[in-house]
């Protein structure tokens, strides 16, 4: 029996938001109204989680507090001190994962006019993570230590929904695992308990659409590269 989808409008809206969303790396200084942030949080709170545990806790900076956080984190990252996160970072990128990673990086560097192999320029651009790309707000996402990797998986779903909700409200964002590279600094700055594990950050605000860094889009693999059908 073949079933049909009577109303395609909801999936059309979702696909449109997924297509429009991108990692924004240049922002206007304008603050996002608190009511809009609250609506983003309300939508993201509907995220599914294992046993409905909802392990995410979110710290959101605005105004002067964003500047204070930037002033605390950037010097540490720029000093070259060894990074240390609460979760193990990828051991290496191999095969197609390395190919995709390199392609994404070269798109960024080419857009900015950075020559291939200019490692000093690569490093300078990487440090922009710790300036939050000029965003007026940062959301720090943490999970409970006892929930381990599955708490982090649930937080990943939350991050995706946060960004889609933001996109629906005209707010740009960028997810940043880089901020978790210095989790001790994050924990100390915000007074987080030792039971909280820093998963990542999300910088967000109104996009600077005129900046060239926001002009490119990354590709996605075709379905036949990632999905295997078993049975009819």
């Amino acid at each position: 029996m073949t079933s049909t989808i009577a109303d395609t409008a909801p999936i059309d809206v979702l696909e449109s938001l997924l297509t429009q969303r991108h990692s924004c790396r240049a922002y206007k200084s304008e603050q996002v109204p608190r009511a809009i942030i609250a609506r983003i949080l309300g939508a993201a709170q509907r995220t599914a989680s294992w046993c409905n545990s909802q392990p995410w806790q979110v710290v959101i900076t605005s105004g002067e507090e964003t500047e204070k956080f930037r002033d605390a984190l950037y010097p540490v990252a720029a000093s070259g001190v060894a990074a240390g996160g609460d979760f193990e970072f990828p051991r290496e990128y191999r095969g197609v994962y390395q190919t995709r990673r390199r392609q994404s990086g070269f798109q960024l560097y080419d857009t900015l006019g950075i020559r291939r192999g200019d490692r000093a320029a690569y490093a300078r651009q990487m440090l922009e993570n710790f300036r939050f790309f000029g965003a007026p707000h940062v959301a720090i996402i943490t999970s409970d230590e006892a929930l381990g990797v599955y708490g982090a998986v649930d937080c990943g779903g939350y991050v995706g929904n946060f960004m889609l909700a933001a996109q629906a409200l005209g707010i740009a964002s960028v997810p940043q695992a880089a901020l978790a590279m210095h989790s001790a600094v994050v924990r100390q700055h915000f007074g987080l308990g030792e039971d909280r594990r820093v998963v990542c950050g999300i910088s967000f605000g109104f996009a600077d659409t005129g900046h060239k860094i926001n002009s490119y889009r990354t590709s996605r693999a075709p379905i036949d590269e990632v999905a295997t059908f078993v049975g009819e």
Side-chain angles (χ1 to χ4, degrees):
M1 179 180 294
T2 301
S3 61
T4 59
I5 301 175
D7 182 5
T8 62
I11 188 63
D12 290 343
V13 171
L14 178 58
E15 289 178 340
S16 177
L17 289 171
L18 287 165
T19 300
Q20 293 169 23
R21 192 217 65 80
H22 68 283
S23 292
C24 179
R25 291 182 172 87
Y27 294 84
K28 297 179 180 178
S29 60
E30 179 184 355
Q31 299 285 304
V32 177
R34 183 63 58 86
I36 292 180
I37 298 176
R39 191 159 188 191
I40 293 170
L41 294 172
Q45 194 61 27
R46 303 303 305 174
T47 299
S49 59
W50 195 347
C51 299
N52 198 33
S53 56
Q54 304 169 66
W56 47 82
Q57 289 286 313
V58 189
V59 177
I60 297 175
T61 69
S62 299
E64 185 178 301
E65 294 304 319
T66 300
E67 295 304 318
K68 289 180 180 177
F69 184 35
R70 183 180 288 118
D71 290 344
L73 190 58
Y74 184 87
V76 175
S79 72
V81 65
D86 293 334
F87 295 92
E88 185 176 352
F89 279 76
R91 187 177 68 256
E92 64 176 314
Y93 288 85
R94 297 182 295 192
V96 67
Y97 310 115
Q98 173 72 330
T99 299
R100 293 169 185 164
R101 182 174 186 258
R102 287 171 59 86
Q103 181 184 51
S104 175
F106 286 144
Q107 280 185 273
L108 170 62
Y109 301 143
D110 290 347
T111 299
L112 294 175
I114 296 175
R115 298 189 309 276
R116 301 285 175 96
D118 187 343
R119 296 188 180 280
Y122 294 171
R124 286 194 298 271
Q125 181 56 38
M126 194 276 179
L127 284 174
E128 289 303 304
N129 276 280
F130 305 100
R131 297 188 195 277
F132 319 134
F133 302 109
H137 305 278
V138 180
I140 295 296
I141 314 298
T142 69
S143 181
D144 185 84
E145 180 274 332
L147 296 178
V149 67
Y150 284 99
V153 168
D154 287 341
C155 287
Y158 180 91
V159 169
N161 288 335
F162 181 107
M163 293 190 297
L164 285 180
Q167 183 66 43
L169 291 165
I171 305 302
S173 63
V174 57
Q176 293 181 266
L179 304 189
M181 294 170 65
H182 297 283
S183 58
V185 177
V186 175
R187 188 176 292 104
Q188 180 179 27
H189 183 80
F190 292 113
L192 302 176
E194 290 299 321
D195 60 329
R196 302 308 300 176
R197 294 293 178 262
V198 179
V199 178
C200 68
I202 308 171
S203 293
F204 66 98
F206 293 100
D208 180 353
T209 56
H211 197 295
K212 60 185 178 182
I213 201 170
N214 287 330
S215 65
Y216 78 96
R217 298 293 182 270
T218 53
S219 62
R220 294 295 183 271
I223 298 302
D224 60 7
E225 285 189 17
V226 300
T228 300
F229 293 94
V230 180
E232 295 185 4

